[in-house]
Amino acid sequence: SRQLLRAASASRRETATPERLLTLRTFASKTWYEEKYERDFKRKKRERIYTGRKGDDSLKVQLVQWYPGHIAKAERLLKEKLKAVDVVLELRDARIPFSTAHPDLKSWIGNKPKILVLNRVDMISKSDLRQLETWFASNGEEVVGTNGQTGQGVPKLTRRAISVSSDVNEKRAAKGLLPREVRAAVIGFPNVGKSAIINRLLKRKACESANIPGVTRQLRWIKAGDGLYVLDAPGVLPSSLEDQRAAQNLAICNDIGKASYLESTIASLFIERIRELPSSEAIMRALEKRYKISAENISGEEFVHELSDKLFNGHIETAGARILRDYGKGSLGKFALELPPS
């Protein structure tokens, strides 16, 4: 055994050549984002899609981890639990209220009453919120705007949830049964703020909450004071999503796992999305002021490259992550990426 140990030690000394040490130093100098790129994308086929713009080199969002196993299991359990639910609270990200709409939810809940909750209203302008509320209300939706961090809109949401389910106890009284608590299910995509809203409904921290997808992984009933029980469910995603624009919007707002995309590519698309908005000029001026880069006559991809050269020694993934993080923190202004069709 001693001879084997000596041989192993000698082998390690032999392999520690200057070339190998240089390779190790080079790898260590990479940022976390470059390492992630090597790990997650080096051997995966990336498919190009084009939006028709000159010079557009955007990459398709990878769906390799789009539908994790815990979400598939949660969806099966959720469908069973929904049979006992009186009202559904559907949470969407107010910045992308159409991309965070689950296509199968209507078939799951049938005729049960539903309240559409636009969360993170603090991240969009009041003008954008009014447009969205008016449009959804005109399409027969019961809408409440909320901010899970401050509790804005949550008392109104509680009152609405109990009021739309009042017929439950009326029917029970007609049968000679005692009244019971209203059962509400909180449903939505990952990272749209479900846990934060539930904690506000309960007026205590009962659910772990973080600005990353996939924190909640189990279904459970929680008593939210007198008259209301809440079903906390993990974020549910469609098993497949062919709409790449919606997938890219989810990536911009950090509503899907980061292993599914390159942040530099998504940041480039984010800048192109801004240019399509009615308030694009004001938003682009804010970007130029923050990063000290002129966005005139350059593509989103070129903007990200210039930022990487200016601040991050050419590390483009770090530059893309910085832009997306700044948007998530509200540092680029308050605006929705999706507005109602005109």
Side-chain angles (χ1 to χ4, degrees), residues 69-239:
H70 78 276
I71 289 182
K73 180 181 178 181
E75 182 179 307
R76 292 192 299 270
L77 295 173
L78 179 60
K79 290 177 184 177
E80 289 296 318
K81 294 284 187 182
L82 284 175
K83 296 174 183 177
V85 165
D86 302 317
V87 59
V88 172
L89 311 180
E90 182 195 4
L91 259 70
R92 299 190 197 175
D93 191 323
R95 297 170 295 174
I96 48 170
F98 300 101
S99 293
T100 47
H102 199 295
D104 300 324
L105 183 60
K106 189 173 182 179
S107 64
W108 293 351
I109 66 176
N111 295 322
K112 292 182 184 294
K114 185 194 79 170
I115 299 174
L116 175 58
V117 184
L118 297 179
N119 194 35
R120 296 184 178 140
V121 294
D122 58 308
M123 301 189 73
I124 66 174
S125 68
K126 292 181 179 179
S127 173
D128 289 350
L129 179 59
R130 281 195 297 271
Q131 286 187 61
L132 291 167
E133 287 179 332
T134 301
W135 189 86
F136 282 117
S138 68
N139 283 273
E141 296 273 12
E142 181 94 9
V143 186
V144 176
T146 60
N147 176 359
Q149 298 302 312
T150 65
Q152 175 188 347
V154 173
K156 180 181 179 181
L157 176 60
T158 304
R159 292 193 299 271
R160 293 279 183 89
I162 294 174
S163 65
V164 298
S165 304
S166 58
D167 61 333
V168 172
N169 284 322
E170 289 176 4
K171 292 176 182 178
R172 289 178 64 85
K175 296 177 182 179
L177 299 173
L178 293 174
R180 63 162 174 79
E181 293 88 351
V182 169
R183 298 167 184 161
V186 180
I187 298 175
F189 276 38
N191 203 33
V192 295
K194 295 181 300 299
S195 296
I197 290 295
I198 290 174
N199 289 336
R200 289 290 176 178
L201 288 169
L202 272 58
K203 299 179 181 178
R204 59 188 172 86
K205 186 174 180 180
C207 306
E208 288 297 321
S209 176
N211 189 30
I212 55 173
V215 172
T216 303
R217 296 202 168 213
Q218 294 180 333
L219 283 83
R220 56 175 179 159
W221 287 102
I222 308 171
K223 186 173 178 61
D226 294 334
L228 186 65
Y229 263 97
V230 176
L231 177 64
D232 180 24
V236 284
L237 292 166
S239 57

